Amino acid sequence: MSSWTITPARPDSPVARALWRAYYTEVSDRWYLLHEDRRTDPAELEREVAARTGAELAPPTGRLLIARYDGDPAGSAGVRLLDPATAELTRVFVPEGLRGKGGAALLVAAAEDAARALGARRIVLDTRSDLVEARALYARLGYTETERHNDDVYAEHWFRKELFN
């Protein structure tokens, strides 16, 4: 029987960096293929990975979670406090070959628990229109589309969920 485990990790860990490289490759390629009919330039990808270290996902105001499927790295999710009552969910990723096995929902639930532990009463996130799987996941998990909460140039949809203890 296959199983998922989710544990905290350091944002600078090799497993986190490898998962983020896969995440950025997928979301960047999807955007460029949709808008410019090309894949991400490898040098551009490396600049993005280097620029977005995930340091904001480290304690005391953030948490990074790594999912493993049968012991192998299989996904990530992070939360960070935007203010004492609001956490942001970010970097939710499960590689394509492992999707449909329940890992994303487990990661989001673990991230919500981490947000509660940080003192948050609500959680927000943003995503793009072309990430239809992500939008469907968040809606299924009780997130509602809401007003813009940031100025990310790639964000097209913003979601919110109240966290209850």
Side-chain angles (χ1 to χ4, degrees), residues 17-33 38-42 44-46 48-49 93 99 128 130-131:
R17 295 192 55 78
L19 285 165
W20 289 341
R21 181 168 275 103
Y23 165 77
Y24 283 127
T25 299
E26 181 176 336
V27 298
S28 182
D29 278 355
R30 284 175 74 161
W31 193 90
Y32 279 121
L33 286 169
R38 69 174 177 92
R39 294 197 178 277
T40 308
D41 175 84
E44 180 183 14
L45 177 69
E46 292 308 314
E48 185 70 15
V49 169
F93 175 69
R99 294 180 189 152
R128 298 188 327 227
D130 63 307
L131 300 177

Side-chain angles (χ1 to χ4, degrees), residues 20-114:
W20 289 341
R21 181 168 275 103
Y23 165 77
Y24 283 127
T25 299
E26 181 176 336
V27 298
S28 182
D29 278 355
R30 284 175 74 161
W31 193 90
Y32 279 121
L33 286 169
L34 181 65
H35 296 282
E36 297 183 12
D37 198 32
R38 69 174 177 92
R39 294 197 178 277
T40 308
D41 175 84
E44 180 183 14
L45 177 69
E46 292 308 314
R47 282 192 304 274
E48 185 70 15
V49 169
R52 296 184 179 240
T53 64
E56 71 279 6
L57 304 178
T61 59
R63 298 289 184 277
L64 171 65
L65 303 165
I66 299 293
R68 293 180 183 275
Y69 187 71
D70 289 342
D72 295 324
S76 67
V79 293
R80 67 183 181 123
L81 288 177
L82 298 178
D83 62 51
T86 308
E88 180 181 41
L89 177 63
T90 186
R91 300 191 191 202
V92 177
F93 175 69
V94 173
E96 187 174 2
L98 292 169
R99 294 180 189 152
K101 299 179 185 297
L106 292 172
L107 273 165
V108 171
E112 291 170 0
D113 289 343

